[in-house]
Amino acid sequence: MRVTMGDVPLNGFEDALRTQRARYPGADPAWRPGWQPVHTVYVPADRFAAGTVAEWGEGALALARAHLAGPAEVADVFGVPEGLAPAVHERVLRKLAREPVEDLRIDFEDGYGARPGEEEDAHAVRAAEAVARMRAAGTLPRRWGLRVKSFADGDPARSARTLDGFLTEVAERCGELPPGFVVTFPKVLMEEYLMEFADLLARLERGLERGLGAGAEVRLRFETQVEAPQTLPFLRGDLVERLDGRLAGAHFGVFDYTAAIGLPPDEQRLDHPACDHARHVMRTAFAGTGVELSDGSLAASPASGSAADVRALWRRHAELVRHSLAHGFHQGWDMHPAHLVSRFAAVYAFHLATYDAYRERVRAWEERRAADGGIMDEPATIRTLATALARADAALS
């Protein structure tokens, strides 16, 4: 027997639906990811200059030309199918010449170390000057920013001072805060540090708007680093709301994390099962929120300039990039110009290998027919395929 509810209200439904849509935009079937960089390049603040990005690109391109003479070498070094190797080879060379760095982070933390206050102040100003010169020259990457010191070090004032000095100097020299800025907040051992950092950004935001004058609008967002087991329990979707939408990303820190859980040095690697666990906690916590996820790095460079050493580094790095991609992490850290070659080669091969097949399956679904091989995809799979195609279009553009 059917029960008619009539006008009986579903108490709280509208509020819950609004919260759901705000908290989990990625759960909407029509949602597609926007552009996300495939990597973040970290450069210590004392070694950063206006020409750094160009130097990385030139160094990477020289290595590619010296040790990847053609598609055959691409197939051999990166395990790319022969049919895809020409396209991957051409795309890597073009990318290194046109846009070698998609996301730049000027590092005032581990890569920089502890310095006297006056020295760090001076480096913050010098870094801002370099950013302004890059902006004027059109060489500032699409995504850029800096990493400050952790509040866990016991001196949040140092982080605030560096960030304040850097942002003020950039805004004064550029007349605005150039688009694409994000700040990385490391070693978040306490949930309270996230709230304090979001509050700091709000105060800096107001100060920048006053300094830039009437009508100025500034929005400061940050990435949290996941570098300790203590961080995993407080990762959850409602953090985005509680942080007033300022949480843009979560980046995994492989070496601090593996050290913190007691792994031996030889096991501090991105493809360790313990790192897979942490990555899947991150994916679970932020699924559907729009928070971007990034993997960590390979702390190695070519042992020499020989073909054998360079290719050995590329093989290992590409293997780790593929591992990250397979686990749904479409971004990672690059710490040496050689990494750019293997990063782009692995990413391009990953997307090109499935692009046509994914597109055919989506087309078959839209036409209400079975794809080649008799595949009848579920709606959830189609959404995943469409998302994968959107990511591929962004990465391959």
Side-chain angles (χ1 to χ4, degrees):
M1 182 178 68
R2 179 180 179 189
V3 176
T4 302
M5 295 183 64
D7 295 327
V8 177
L10 296 174
N11 295 326
F13 167 74
E14 293 295 339
D15 288 342
L17 182 61
R18 280 193 294 271
T19 299
Q20 171 200 306
R21 288 174 173 170
R23 186 178 298 172
Y24 303 113
D28 185 333
W31 180 85
R32 295 291 179 269
W35 177 79
Q36 179 180 353
V38 301
H39 68 172
T40 302
V41 163
Y42 270 77
V43 180
D46 58 319
R47 286 183 258 162
F48 173 68
T52 296
V53 168
E55 291 169 1
W56 273 58
E58 291 164 3
L61 193 56
L63 287 170
R65 286 174 173 160
H67 304 300
L68 291 177
E73 285 78 11
V74 170
D76 174 56
V77 174
F78 300 113
V80 176
E82 290 185 3
L84 290 179
V88 172
H89 184 247
E90 187 273 332
R91 285 177 179 275
V92 168
L93 294 181
R94 185 174 62 196
K95 181 69 169 181
L96 295 176
R98 178 175 57 87
E99 188 188 27
V101 175
E102 294 187 347
D103 186 16
L104 170 70
R105 208 64 77 246
I106 306 162
D107 191 13
F108 283 91
E109 202 231 0
D110 280 351
Y112 179 75
R115 310 287 182 100
E118 300 81 4
E119 185 177 352
E120 184 162 335
D121 289 343
H123 282 141
V125 171
R126 195 176 76 180
E129 292 171 350
V131 165
R133 289 174 59 192
M134 295 172 73
R135 173 70 187 283
T139 58
L140 187 64
R142 283 186 276 175
R143 188 78 61 80
W144 63 282
L146 74 166
R147 177 168 69 166
V148 295
K149 288 181 169 61
S150 169
F151 282 13
D153 295 337
D155 188 10
R158 179 64 265 176
S159 297
R161 183 179 177 87
T162 297
L163 185 55
D164 188 7
F166 175 83
L167 288 173
T168 300
E169 194 73 23
V170 169
E172 288 179 354
R173 289 176 177 272
C174 296
E176 64 171 349
L177 185 64
F181 175 80
V182 66
V183 58
T184 305
F185 188 45
K187 296 181 178 62
V188 185
L189 299 184
M190 300 291 291
E191 186 174 352
E192 289 79 4
Y193 296 163
L194 292 173
M195 308 305 155
E196 291 291 335
F197 196 67
D199 181 64
L200 168 63
L201 294 184
R203 286 183 279 122
L204 291 174
E205 204 172 79
R206 292 191 291 270
L208 287 171
E209 290 176 341
R210 287 194 299 269
L212 290 170
E217 293 186 7
V218 177
R219 181 65 171 167
L220 298 178
R221 303 184 73 202
F222 74 101
E223 306 156 338
T224 185
Q225 283 196 251
V226 178
E227 301 178 88
Q230 293 88 344
T231 310
L232 297 180
F234 57 76
L235 298 182
R236 56 188 184 276
D238 70 341
L239 276 178
V240 180
E241 295 168 82
R242 297 181 63 211
L243 297 170
D244 191 28
R246 296 187 184 279
L247 184 63
H251 288 218
F252 182 58
V254 55
F255 299 104
D256 282 284
Y257 186 86
T258 51
I261 62 174
L263 294 188
D266 289 347
E267 293 297 328
Q268 291 187 289
R269 51 185 173 85
L270 274 175
D271 52 359
H272 192 283
C275 296
D276 291 342
H277 167 257
R279 272 191 291 267
H280 286 291
V281 170
M282 293 169 67
R283 287 213 60 81
T284 302
F286 293 120
T289 64
V291 171
E292 294 178 349
L293 301 179
S294 175
D295 220 336
S297 62
L298 170 65
S301 59
S304 76
S306 71
D309 285 339
V310 173
R311 289 174 179 174
L313 182 281
W314 282 342
R315 286 189 177 96
R316 178 55 179 158
H317 186 231
E319 182 181 33
L320 293 176
V321 173
R322 287 191 295 269
H323 187 86
S324 298
L325 290 167
H327 285 259
F329 277 63
H330 294 271
Q331 182 178 352
W333 290 9
D334 289 334
M335 312 296 286
H336 186 275
H339 296 170
L340 304 184
V341 181
S342 37
R343 171 73 59 185
F344 291 125
V347 167
Y348 293 155
F350 176 83
H351 288 298
L352 289 171
T354 56
Y355 191 89
D356 289 342
Y358 286 0
R359 186 171 55 184
E360 165 58 23
R361 288 168 67 179
V362 171
R363 185 181 296 119
W365 169 265
E366 292 170 345
E367 296 174 358
R368 297 297 187 267
R369 61 179 173 83
D372 292 343
I375 298 173
M376 294 292 291
D377 284 307
E378 290 290 323
T381 303
I382 292 298
R383 290 197 294 271
T384 303
L385 291 167
T387 298
L389 288 170
R391 285 195 179 279
D393 287 336
L396 296 169
S397 62

